[in-house]
Amino acid sequence: MFDYMIVGAGLAGAVLAERLATKLDKKVILVDKRNHIGGNTYDYFNKDGILVHKYGPHIFHTNSKEVYEYLGNFTTWRPYEHRVLASVDGMLVPIPINMNTINTLYNLQLSCSQVDDFFNSKAEKKDRILTSEDVVVNKIGRELYEKFFKGYTKKQWNLDPSELDASVTARIPVRSNRDDRYFTDTYQAMPLLGYTKMFENMLAHPNIKVMLNTDYKEVEKIIPFKKMIYTGPVDYYFDYCYGKLPYRSLEFHFETIETEKYQPTGTVNFPNEHPYTRVTEFKYLTGQRHSKTSVVYEYPKEEGDPYYPVPRPENAELYKKYQQLAAQSANVHFVGRLATYKYYNMDQVVAQALTLYKKLSIETETHVNGYKLPALQDS
Ligand code: FAD
Ligand code: UDP
């Protein structure tokens, strides 16, 4: 009898398996339908010996000391600050838009405060910021919005920014200084030996059994367990009873090139040309030295693995219905990007999983042999 069946060996599932096994001595079976652990962060050495990310570039960044230190128990961190250039008007310029972006694009020599004035002169102020169009146009005006955001967003989501929640493009700040880092979080680092190695360390406990190549629906009636933690798509769990939740997918095209370095930064974005959105060169991320280099092109698509929940009001409404069902499922906990239909970064998923672990550990402490301790008994 397992205490928990955990569905999904991505970050959400692995954090919970690790905590429950090592801290609460729970017996866990971790089931994943893929042939590997790590979920979407899975990395591996390709046939040329270059470390690549199977499901697109994953760069770790967080403001949470707790999350950074927790994962640091399973990996050494290699400091890495990601930088991105966007191909606009035949030039490669920094994104997030900063002082250098404006000066290069318009052949100007503005200072920091002049760049602020420039943005203010272009901004179309909105009374209410509801959509991904509003958020950008309100800050920097329509011209820059069209150069950097409109085409990229259409490609990525097959929606106009006006059809997406403000939170999507709000992920990308606008800066009047020279800071050209993609993220400004306190902790920015990559697992020194890769994500998969980090997962191997997390799951190396005798209380954790891993079962790959298995959809949990094939085994949930055969393997005895007391409670489930589910990290797959929430609509699949409930057999799509309210209809399918939209998730956006991607196709990844990998290429190894016979040169040491291919492009000037870790990622180059293409808002306006090509069917792909961005090209990422892994050696920047991993710090690996190799005479060749590997890149990945991301082609957005409708069908395929569910990678991105699509943040817009009608989807939030539909998710709410599934959320209500989930709340009624006493023996199942839903956690992670797919199960809670949230456009979460890795650190947010780890934080969400640690929060659930804390809740479960309090429940364990306050129950003895199936009885609530007197202080907590319902009156
Ligand atoms: P997942 O990693 O998706 O794990 C869920 C697991 O459940 C999967 O392994 C799946 O196979 C399994 N599963 C699903 N259904 C079943 C079933 N029926 N039976 C058994 N197993 C099942 N975040 C960052 O912080 N920085 C980045 O740079 C970054 N880049 C990203 C780039 C891309 C292209 C994508 C798609 C995401 C990126 N993210 C990034 C987000 C990051 O991938 C997620 O936040 C995180 O990996 C989610 O972890 P999870 O455990 O919730 O889900
Ligand atoms: N975005 C854009 N242009 C860019 C970069 C991002 O329009 O050059 C928008 C786009 O809608 C994208 C969103 O901002 O989906 C979030 O970008 P991010 O790089 O955070 O996406 P992720 O890494 O999650 O795919």
Side-chain angles (χ1 to χ4, degrees):
M1 171 66 89
F2 288 95
D3 295 301
Y4 286 92
M5 174 179 279
I6 301 186
V7 179
L11 271 172
V15 168
L16 279 152
E18 188 281 327
R19 289 286 86 178
L20 292 168
T22 59
K23 296 292 173 197
L24 302 184
D25 198 29
K26 299 292 183 193
K27 306 272 181 289
V28 172
I29 176 133
L30 180 60
V31 182
D32 203 298
K33 63 180 185 178
R34 289 172 170 164
N35 63 0
H36 58 73
I37 55 172
N40 284 342
T41 73
Y42 173 72
D43 54 15
Y44 66 99
F45 287 90
N46 68 12
K47 67 178 175 32
D48 291 290
I50 301 173
L51 184 61
V52 300
H53 297 181
K54 183 169 171 135
Y55 304 99
H58 278 73
I59 298 122
F60 184 78
H61 56 99
T62 188
N63 286 317
S64 164
K65 188 163 185 271
E66 185 191 2
V67 167
Y68 180 72
E69 287 182 348
Y70 168 72
L71 291 179
N73 291 319
F74 312 102
T75 183
T76 302
W77 289 113
R78 185 184 83 86
Y80 171 69
E81 292 184 327
H82 193 50
R83 288 179 167 77
V84 180
L85 293 169
S87 167
V88 171
D89 294 348
M91 290 173 259
L92 289 182
V93 291
I95 174 92
I97 293 173
N98 67 9
M99 176 203 282
N100 290 340
T101 313
I102 299 303
N103 285 337
T104 309
L105 213 53
Y106 294 104
N107 197 19
L108 296 168
Q109 290 192 317
L110 303 181
S111 65
C112 194
S113 65
Q114 288 171 319
V115 173
D116 271 329
D117 295 342
F118 179 91
F119 290 145
N120 287 333
S121 72
K122 302 278 181 192
E124 285 175 26
K125 288 293 171 199
K126 308 264 172 202
D127 293 335
R128 295 176 71 202
I129 311 280
L130 294 176
T131 73
S132 268
E133 176 180 310
D134 297 339
V135 86
V136 181
V137 171
N138 179 66
K139 269 192 283 194
I140 54 174
R142 198 155 290 277
E143 188 175 306
L144 288 166
Y145 159 75
E146 282 179 359
K147 284 185 196 295
F148 287 87
F149 290 91
K150 192 175 163 76
Y152 188 112
T153 301
K154 176 74 186 160
K155 233 191 293 188
Q156 170 73 11
W157 302 95
N158 196 27
L159 290 170
D160 189 80
S162 62
E163 300 171 293
L164 274 169
D165 285 0
S167 60
V168 176
T169 53
R171 288 167 64 90
I172 314 299
V174 172
R175 305 189 185 122
S176 53
N177 59 20
R178 283 201 182 84
D179 191 348
D180 63 349
R181 296 170 305 160
Y182 205 62
F183 310 109
T184 49
D185 302 53
T186 311
Y187 306 97
Q188 304 189 39
M190 297 290 288
L192 183 66
L193 301 177
Y195 290 99
T196 304
K197 270 271 168 286
M198 181 179 86
F199 273 78
E200 284 170 5
N201 293 335
M202 291 171 86
L203 300 177
H205 190 281
N207 282 357
I208 304 173
K209 301 279 174 270
V210 178
M211 190 178 207
L212 299 175
N213 299 303
T214 308
D215 188 311
Y216 82 97
K217 289 195 185 185
E218 295 168 45
V219 293
E220 64 172 336
K221 302 239 157 55
I222 305 168
I223 299 174
F225 63 92
K226 292 179 190 156
K227 287 193 168 191
M228 180 181 278
I229 292 172
Y230 181 78
T231 77
V234 62
D235 55 348
Y236 177 78
Y237 180 90
F238 292 108
D239 299 320
Y240 308 110
C241 64
Y242 297 127
K244 278 194 163 190
L245 272 168
Y247 292 93
R248 191 74 176 147
S249 194
L250 292 171
E251 204 168 291
F252 302 103
H253 286 199
F254 292 86
E255 211 177 290
T256 295
I257 303 147
E258 303 272 340
T259 175
E260 229 179 303
K261 189 170 118 178
Y262 175 73
Q263 61 187 26
T265 44
T267 297
V268 175
N269 285 0
F270 293 92
N272 305 309
E273 65 257 45
H274 306 304
Y276 47 86
T277 49
R278 59 186 178 190
V279 180
T280 298
E281 185 170 356
F282 289 107
K283 280 165 60 186
Y284 281 95
L285 280 53
T286 58
Q288 190 180 1
R289 287 167 185 239
H290 199 289
S291 57
K292 300 181 193 178
T293 195
S294 280
V295 296
V296 64
Y297 294 74
E298 292 176 53
Y299 290 80
K301 58 178 195 157
E302 204 70 41
E303 297 300 323
D305 273 5
Y307 292 132
Y308 292 84
V310 184
R312 55 192 311 222
E314 50 268 62
N315 300 349
E317 277 305 303
L318 181 53
Y319 168 62
K320 223 182 257 168
K321 292 165 92 176
Y322 282 114
Q323 194 183 16
Q324 274 160 13
L325 284 186
Q328 290 157 22
S329 311
N331 273 334
V332 188
H333 299 282
F334 293 79
V335 60
R337 173 150 149 152
L338 302 172
T340 58
Y341 202 68
K342 296 279 181 315
Y343 187 178
Y344 274 163
N345 293 325
M346 289 183 278
D347 65 322
Q348 294 169 298
V349 168
V350 172
Q352 193 190 32
L354 289 175
T355 301
L356 174 57
Y357 158 70
K358 285 172 201 158
K359 190 177 146 217
L360 296 176
S361 68
I362 290 167
E363 274 172 21
T364 305
E365 274 169 26
T366 53
H367 285 68
V368 176
N369 297 332
Y371 295 100
K372 278 186 185 178
L373 291 178
L376 288 152
Q377 267 173 1
D378 301 326
S379 53

